[in-house]
Amino acid sequence: MTKSIHIKLLIAVAVILSSCGTQKKSVNNSRKNSTQEVVSKKEIDQSVSRNQTTKKLPNYKKPTSQKPVFKDNNERYVYDYAQIAKDEMALYGIPASITLAQGILESSAGNGELTLKSNNHFGIKCNGWQGEKAYHDDDALQECFRKYKDPKYSFRDHSLFLKERKRYAFLFDLDKDDYKGWAHGLKKAGYATDPRYPQKLISIIERYQLHQYDDHVLGNGSRKGNRRKAVRADHTSIRYTVQKGDTLYTIAKRYDLSVDELKALNKLKDNHLSIGQKLYVKSL
């Protein structure tokens, strides 16, 4: 009986020892696998790092500005205000070249002290002006000048200033592309006291080819001031219906006409348009 019990005890001990060995082996294998995983992950990270270091990145070009590079402030001024000058020419008949040259000269290309503090590009003095005012030393100390919220209002006031005063009326009888006639005429009418004012305007116009903006409005304008042939409407053409926001200038430009040609085709006496109005846009 005692011997039998002793044998059973030996068997039980053997089973326990065997079980412990298996668990120990399992734990060891688990530790080994874990270590291998750590090593493997480390190797992957090192490989990725090496690839990122040695792989060439694409060459990204630095964005460039679309705005042109200007030689001087006069070119910048023309770039900023040419369209306004053309619109004023279409409405009031003052050559865009003259308006731009006067603006450059009178405002120091937009950088003059008076212009910077008042948006007054043409040195127009108060003379009964009911709007905001700015004071600046000119012919006398602290003279009163007109002040505008936006430069475009200065351009419009310049157009009205010339259009509404009788002493400038003869200028509007000149050919609309006769910038030389306008330059001398402004001096004759007393716009400026500088005896070389006409020559300065003409020099600016020709140096920066500002007469091209007169052509944009007139279509096939001549630099010699030649009158264009009279135009007659082609009544077989489809007429254009005036839409909201249209002007004579935008319609004329669309159909490759000058404003004068468009007015002549439709026998218009002024620049007024009505929505729904029918206009002939083709000449014979």
Side-chain angles (χ1 to χ4, degrees):
M1 187 72 176
T2 302
K3 186 176 180 180
S4 175
I5 292 173
H6 181 70
I7 292 172
K8 288 180 179 181
L9 287 173
L10 289 174
I11 293 172
V13 170
V15 170
I16 292 171
L17 291 175
S18 175
S19 176
C20 289
T22 301
Q23 289 179 356
K24 184 175 180 181
K25 183 178 181 180
S26 177
V27 170
N28 290 337
N29 287 339
S30 177
R31 290 177 179 173
K32 183 177 180 180
N33 290 339
S34 177
T35 302
Q36 289 176 343
E37 287 178 2
V38 171
V39 172
S40 177
K41 186 176 185 303
K42 186 175 181 180
E43 290 176 348
I44 292 172
D45 290 342
Q46 290 175 342
S47 175
V48 170
S49 178
R50 284 195 299 272
N51 289 336
Q52 288 177 342
T53 302
T54 58
K55 186 179 179 180
K56 292 183 179 180
L57 294 173
N59 293 323
Y60 292 105
K61 292 183 178 180
K62 190 176 182 180
T64 56
S65 173
Q66 297 299 316
K67 197 169 184 177
V69 177
F70 304 103
K71 294 180 181 178
D72 55 34
N73 288 331
N74 291 352
E75 281 194 357
R76 183 185 300 277
Y77 187 91
V78 173
Y79 178 85
D80 289 337
Y81 298 109
Q83 186 59 53
I84 296 177
K86 289 193 294 182
D87 290 342
E88 293 302 307
M89 180 179 180
L91 289 172
Y92 296 99
I94 303 163
S97 58
I98 285 290
T99 299
L100 287 169
Q102 282 191 283
I104 289 171
L105 191 58
E106 305 272 352
S107 73
S108 297
N111 293 307
E113 181 183 346
L114 174 64
T115 302
L116 292 174
K117 69 182 181 182
S118 68
N119 284 320
N120 189 331
H121 284 240
F122 301 94
I124 300 178
K125 296 179 181 180
C126 289
N127 296 328
W129 174 252
Q130 299 300 314
E132 291 188 67
K133 301 174 177 66
Y135 295 90
H136 180 72
D137 293 346
D138 192 53
D139 297 329
L141 295 177
Q142 292 298 290
E143 288 193 86
C144 182
F145 289 86
R146 303 181 183 190
K147 184 177 182 179
Y148 308 94
K149 292 182 179 179
D150 188 283
K152 65 182 179 182
Y153 299 120
S154 176
F155 280 77
R156 175 56 51 86
D157 207 20
H158 168 263
S159 298
L160 294 173
F161 183 86
L162 297 178
K163 188 72 174 178
E164 295 176 351
R165 283 163 174 74
K166 291 182 179 180
R167 60 181 171 143
Y168 299 113
F170 72 95
L171 293 170
F172 294 89
D173 293 329
L174 298 172
D175 291 285
K176 289 185 173 60
D177 54 8
D178 187 4
Y179 64 85
K180 290 183 179 179
W182 266 84
H184 288 286
L186 285 168
K187 175 64 176 66
K188 180 180 178 180
Y191 187 93
T193 57
D194 183 353
R196 289 192 50 77
Y197 192 74
Q199 289 75 21
K200 289 179 179 179
L201 291 181
I202 293 169
S203 176
I204 292 172
I205 290 170
E206 295 182 345
R207 179 178 179 183
Y208 296 95
Q209 299 183 1
L210 302 184
H211 45 67
Q212 66 178 297
Y213 301 108
D214 299 340
D215 282 341
H216 293 175
V217 179
L218 296 174
N220 61 340
S222 166
R223 295 279 56 77
K224 296 180 180 179
N226 294 330
R227 295 185 183 277
R228 290 174 296 281
K229 295 180 180 180
V231 295
R232 292 183 294 117
D234 178 1
H235 294 286
T236 64
S237 65
I238 298 175
R239 292 186 294 176
Y240 176 78
T241 302
V242 176
Q243 307 293 322
K244 184 178 180 180
D246 279 339
T247 65
L248 285 174
Y249 175 69
T250 58
I251 297 171
K253 185 176 180 180
R254 187 179 305 167
Y255 291 96
D256 197 25
L257 295 168
S258 71
V259 172
D260 283 348
E261 287 171 334
L262 183 59
K263 290 174 72 173
L265 284 173
N266 295 278
K267 297 181 179 180
L268 300 176
K269 295 182 179 180
D270 55 37
N271 297 325
H272 178 72
L273 293 176
S274 302
I275 295 176
Q277 183 177 353
K278 304 288 185 181
L279 296 177
Y280 292 106
V281 292
K282 182 180 178 182
S283 64
L284 288 174

